[in-house]
Amino acid sequence: MSTAESAAGAAVRQGNARDCVLSLREASGPVSVAELAARTGLSRPTVDSVLQDLADSGALLLASPAVDRGGRPGRPARRFALDPSSATVAAVDLGERSVTCLVSDAVGTVLARTTVPAETGDHLAAAEEAVRGTGHAPQCLGLAVPGILAADGRIAQSLALPDLVGRDLAAELAQRLGAEVVVENDIKLAALAERHLGPPAESIAYVQIGHRISLALILDGRILQGSHRLAGELGSQRGMRWTSSSERGRLTWSTGDEAFPLLERAAAGDSAACQEIDAFCAEIAPRLATVLLTLDPELVVVGGGLSRAGETFLDPLRRSLHPLLMSPDQPDVVPARLTADGSLIGALGRAFEHGSARITGVVGVPAPWPALLRTPTRRTAS
């Protein structure tokens, strides 16, 4: 057999295994070989082979067969399910003042959540404390960081956490926890979560507007990184300012650093507040329009604190943005589904993708995105 034929055969086997894992994960209960064959369109011998491999990897449970066979002779069919306890997966979101961890089992059911302060400035120590505080030892972990990653995975720039610049966070945290760790920018992870949990779209411009404005791009369903992982990092342009009143990238308002009082007044019909929101949208719209005409996304998803104001903010943004696009086909501007925890959910999904082989024994199994939104059965804090 040639190398090409061998590779093709391996790809087919991997695809068969992935289909079986997805069918098992989506089933409402344990399924038989015949049922799994029907669900996947694979032959029974092929399904048997896949189930044996899954059992060898520890990802499979043999469920107790139903006793009642309606008087039919013979043994009841064996039934199989994925073993939720075969692995745990974690996400950690590094914030300036605190670190949050979310842990799920192997099928995506969230088990625990912790948030710990990062008062000492040692964010990796806080991350380790947050993970251990859940009472679980994850095999795979996704780490969301507020900064730009270099091609080698080290933090190249971070205004929020400058002490992390130059460090290989994946290697350091893996050594602390004995887990497989994947690191990604927090805004890009929030965009990834919106791509899977928000309105259906393969291309998204995700704009997070809170104390700062950050941008992440999804193209063909994947995070757009660019040659140097700088796609969407407009803040890396020297001298760039989103607004005339921003200070080192931080937004300021007539109400100070917080926009909520202003948005409340605008929602109540205060004309001065509405004018300030209109002026803000008019300032940021030209740069956004340039990005939209470069990427041509299906959606503009607005996340962060200002998205919680709903149409009080989104409507003036549309009115400033859409007239700049001389085309009948304009992307809609919608609020993020995840107004909080977008980066955390994105990091958990990314950990599932990255650690698929370790979690299920099969490479390339997509994350169980909808399951990641379920309420944790246990919440801890310190």
Side-chain angles (χ1 to χ4, degrees):
M1 181 183 294
S2 68
T3 302
E5 289 173 332
S6 178
V12 169
R13 290 191 295 274
Q14 179 180 316
N16 292 341
R18 183 171 58 247
D19 289 347
C20 287
V21 169
L22 289 175
S23 291
L24 286 166
R25 196 167 69 191
E26 293 165 2
S28 58
V31 297
S32 67
V33 173
E35 290 168 340
L36 194 55
R39 285 169 173 266
T40 59
L42 300 172
S43 68
R44 290 188 59 157
T46 297
V47 170
D48 260 326
S49 177
V50 170
L51 291 175
Q52 183 58 58
D53 290 342
L54 291 175
D56 291 343
S57 72
L60 200 65
L61 279 175
L62 176 60
S64 300
V67 175
D68 182 11
R69 288 181 47 80
R72 297 190 300 273
R75 292 183 178 179
R78 296 174 303 157
R79 307 187 76 80
F80 300 89
L82 293 179
D83 184 357
S85 66
S86 63
T88 51
V89 185
V92 170
D93 186 14
L94 298 185
E96 291 186 61
R97 298 180 180 84
S98 63
V99 173
T100 300
C101 176
L102 200 64
V103 173
S104 84
D105 64 18
V107 297
T109 301
V110 175
L111 303 174
R113 175 188 179 116
T114 59
T115 298
V116 301
E119 296 171 345
T120 65
D122 188 344
H123 284 79
L124 281 196
E128 181 181 2
E129 180 184 352
V131 174
R132 298 195 186 283
T134 65
H136 298 274
Q139 283 72 51
C140 302
L141 183 146
L143 181 64
V145 296
I148 298 173
L149 273 67
D152 62 1
R154 296 176 184 270
I155 305 299
Q157 301 176 42
S158 179
L159 288 174
L161 302 177
D163 58 305
L164 299 182
V165 172
R167 294 172 64 176
D168 187 347
L169 301 185
E172 290 186 47
L173 199 55
Q175 185 175 24
R176 287 173 179 261
L177 296 170
E180 190 173 327
V181 179
V182 59
V183 181
E184 185 54 272
N185 169 267
D186 54 357
I187 307 304
K188 291 180 179 180
L189 288 171
L192 183 67
E194 289 298 323
R195 179 261 181 272
H196 288 282
L197 297 170
E202 289 295 304
S203 59
I204 294 170
Y206 178 82
V207 189
Q208 178 140 314
I209 309 178
H211 293 300
R212 302 177 184 274
I213 300 179
S214 300
L215 184 69
L217 307 172
I218 300 291
L219 185 63
D220 295 331
R222 297 177 178 273
I223 296 171
L224 180 62
Q225 299 285 10
S227 299
H228 307 94
R229 299 183 69 99
L230 291 174
E233 296 287 357
L234 300 192
S236 292
Q237 179 183 337
R238 194 177 301 279
M240 184 272 195
R241 298 176 72 181
W242 281 99
T243 69
S244 57
S245 63
S246 60
E247 300 175 1
R248 297 195 66 211
R250 193 173 182 90
L251 301 178
T252 60
W253 311 88
S254 61
T255 50
D257 289 340
E258 295 292 336
F260 294 112
L262 181 71
L263 291 164
E264 287 178 349
R265 283 168 34 203
D270 183 285
S271 60
C274 290
Q275 289 173 11
E276 185 172 347
I277 297 299
D278 287 345
F280 171 80
C281 291
E283 277 200 278
I284 69 171
R287 284 194 182 273
L288 284 180
T290 300
V291 172
L292 300 187
L293 290 173
T294 302
L295 182 67
D296 190 22
E298 298 167 68
L299 284 177
V300 177
V301 179
V302 180
L306 267 66
S307 70
R308 297 170 196 161
E311 292 303 309
T312 300
F313 177 73
L314 296 178
D315 184 56
L317 181 59
R318 290 189 197 98
R319 286 190 274 107
S320 292
L321 184 60
H322 282 164
L324 299 177
L325 307 174
M326 295 189 298
S327 168
D329 299 317
Q330 298 175 339
D332 195 8
V333 179
V334 301
R337 177 175 180 182
L338 300 172
T339 56
D341 286 346
S343 298
L344 196 62
I345 297 296
L348 193 56
R350 185 70 185 91
F352 268 96
E353 294 173 349
H354 180 78
S356 174
R358 193 165 179 179
I359 297 165
T360 65
V362 179
V363 175
V365 176
W369 288 101
L372 304 184
L373 291 178
R374 294 171 189 159
T375 305
T377 55
R378 182 170 68 89
R379 178 182 292 265
T380 61
S382 60

